[in-house]
Amino acid sequence: MHPYNLYLPTRLVFGENAIEKLPELTKGFGRKVLIVYGGGSVRRNGILERAREVLKDREIFELSGVEPNPRITTIRKGVELCKKEGIDFLLPIGAGSVIDSAKAIAAGAFYEGDTWDLVLDSSKIKKALPIFVVLTNAATGSEYDDSGVISNLETNEKLPIMSPVLAPVASVMDPAYTCTVPPKHTAAGAADIFSHTIEQYIVMDGNILTDAMCEGMLRTVIECTPKVLKNPNDLDARGQLMMASSFGCCGLLSIGRTPSVWPCHAIEHELSAWHDITHGEGLAVITPHWMRWSLTEKTAPRLAQYGVRMFGLDPKAPVMETAEKAIEKTSEFFRSIGIPATLSELGVTDEHFKEMADHVISHWFPLSGAFRPIDREGILAILRASL
């Protein structure tokens, strides 16, 4: 067992009409609220209007237009608004990009310099405005963790921002709010959950409890994603994906295990930074190729275990053969939910692969701690295989 330190301060409120709990949850946190959201979907489906209604006794400000890969330029506008109006708390309504933006805004509101400084060095974050979330898609898990990912188009960087003070105070989750999410983004969100889980599961040392947790998460994604794509109004399957989203990135799955250095996320962030692709789709393309690159005699048993438990492969078959089949089954699953199989299909070329690899090496966790240690040439090999 590896040592662990787990703290989960966020309250999760799940169920039909969970948004009605906002007045009670936000009581005592002040009068001025900044609602943060992306495009027009939360207007069209009535979620924004309902939030205004339940918080009608508060003074409401709005920041719209948050991008799918949230940009520092939009976040700077939010920080300026918070400082100018004396905002008391933030209410992001949306999925990961909106919540991540709110986290950066919440920290930037108490920082005198440029908020990008806090992305480059999160140790500078000392305080943040309280955050309450209305979740509208099952994907990143940002509703139940203390981190986010922010893009800077000027520098072609997509980097994490993280601090214990960025964990939301509470997140409300009504599966009905996810029913209008388009199939493309539903599938991409599921792939994101899958990636969060598999990157913590496929490590050298696991344990009985968290192996089972990871396997339950993966099984949820594999079983429920096709259901919601076939019937977008399947609230039970939607709700199970929401649950999986929350627990995918909060730290629970990693306790007592070899710490993950998140190699797939490291590589995908570079792809998004340069090409602005959908995060979950990029992860779905990269993940099987990372698995293939990582497959050795030493790593095969863990991949074979995954194949036996997730896809019902023969436990008596040769370990290497089972591991290879498990990787192919992973690719088949992503294809079955409509995600492109190659980076080329996403509009990615190899033009900036060397810059991407260099940036991973200089800005990410040391990939020497990966399932199979990855150097610059390994990153390039995975990228090229993914084309």
Side-chain angles (χ1 to χ4, degrees):
M1 283 280 290
H2 290 254
Y4 62 89
N5 186 341
L6 180 67
Y7 176 58
L8 302 174
T10 302
R11 181 185 298 275
L12 296 178
V13 181
F14 173 89
E16 184 179 2
N17 297 319
I19 198 170
E20 307 296 328
K21 300 288 186 181
L22 279 177
E24 175 188 341
L25 293 168
T26 59
K27 185 177 181 180
F29 283 88
R31 290 197 67 257
K32 294 186 175 183
V33 52
L34 175 61
I35 299 179
V36 182
Y37 58 98
S41 61
V42 296
R43 290 182 182 275
R44 292 190 298 272
N45 59 26
I47 301 174
L48 179 60
E49 184 58 33
R50 190 61 196 143
R52 289 197 193 107
E53 290 173 358
V54 300
L55 294 175
K56 61 181 180 293
D57 63 335
R58 313 297 175 91
E59 188 175 356
I60 295 175
F61 300 83
E62 294 182 17
L63 176 69
S64 63
V66 172
E67 305 82 4
N69 289 307
R71 300 175 187 176
I72 190 64
T73 48
T74 302
I75 288 161
R76 287 172 180 143
K77 295 176 184 177
V79 169
E80 182 180 359
L81 183 57
C82 285
K83 291 179 177 179
K84 177 183 176 182
E85 302 295 345
I87 297 296
D88 294 310
F89 66 90
L90 282 79
L91 180 68
I93 303 177
S97 60
V98 172
I99 305 168
D100 289 0
S101 294
K103 290 177 179 179
I105 293 168
F110 291 100
Y111 183 67
E112 292 304 316
D114 182 20
T115 306
W116 186 247
D117 295 345
L118 305 180
V119 181
L120 294 174
D121 183 3
S122 290
S123 69
K124 294 181 178 181
I125 301 173
K126 305 301 181 184
K127 188 177 180 180
L129 290 171
I131 300 169
F132 297 83
V133 172
V134 177
L135 186 65
T136 64
N137 190 24
T140 70
S142 196
E143 71 275 8
Y144 199 45
D145 68 23
D146 60 7
S147 63
V149 182
I150 309 301
S151 294
N152 188 332
L153 298 188
E154 295 177 1
T155 60
N156 293 117
E157 291 178 292
K158 181 177 178 181
L159 295 171
I161 183 171
M162 58 185 69
S163 169
V165 301
L166 299 183
V169 178
S171 294
V172 298
M173 305 184 298
D174 183 340
Y177 287 171
T178 69
C179 291
T180 57
V181 176
K184 169 187 169 74
H185 297 295
T186 296
D192 200 1
I193 301 168
F194 192 102
S195 181
H196 290 159
T197 307
I198 203 72
E199 291 207 64
Q200 294 172 90
Y201 182 62
I202 303 298
V203 293
M204 289 310 300
D205 300 320
N207 55 67
I208 296 170
L209 178 60
T210 53
D211 271 5
M213 288 179 180
C214 290
E215 289 157 8
M217 292 275 291
L218 294 170
R219 188 171 294 109
T220 297
V221 175
I222 291 169
E223 293 184 10
C224 291
T225 306
K227 291 180 179 180
V228 300
L229 292 174
K230 182 178 180 180
N231 176 13
N233 296 314
D234 186 335
L235 292 183
D236 180 71
R238 289 279 187 187
Q240 293 199 53
L241 285 173
M242 269 190 142
M243 183 187 298
S245 168
S246 297
F247 289 101
C249 218
C250 68
L252 181 62
L253 301 183
S254 66
I255 59 174
R257 308 176 70 81
T258 302
S260 175
V261 293
W262 302 89
C264 296
H265 275 70
I267 295 171
E268 196 291 320
H269 286 178
E270 298 301 319
L271 294 167
S272 293
W274 283 95
H275 296 279
D276 203 27
I277 65 175
T278 300
H279 177 57
E281 290 185 334
L283 288 171
V285 172
I286 290 294
T287 296
H289 294 287
W290 162 67
M291 288 177 163
R292 289 190 182 96
W293 189 88
S294 299
L295 180 57
T296 65
E297 292 293 335
K298 182 178 180 180
T299 62
R302 166 71 52 182
L303 286 161
Q305 173 184 302
Y306 157 70
V308 169
R309 297 184 182 178
M310 290 300 97
F311 300 109
L313 300 181
D314 184 359
K316 297 180 181 179
V319 171
M320 185 63 71
E321 175 186 315
T322 304
E324 290 171 347
K325 286 184 178 179
I327 297 168
E328 183 52 41
K329 287 287 186 181
T330 305
S331 295
E332 289 175 4
F333 168 69
F334 288 136
R335 290 196 296 270
S336 76
I337 60 174
I339 295 181
T342 66
L343 293 178
S344 298
E345 294 173 73
L346 299 176
V348 175
T349 69
D350 63 358
E351 180 181 0
H352 300 292
F353 279 3
K354 292 181 180 179
E355 292 100 316
M356 293 179 191
D358 289 338
H359 197 262
V360 170
I361 295 299
S362 62
H363 285 76
W364 197 256
F365 309 113
L367 294 187
S368 57
F371 188 46
R372 175 189 171 189
I374 307 174
D375 57 12
R376 181 178 183 274
E377 291 307 310
I379 296 168
L380 289 171
I382 293 168
L383 282 166
R384 289 166 181 155
S386 302
L387 267 178

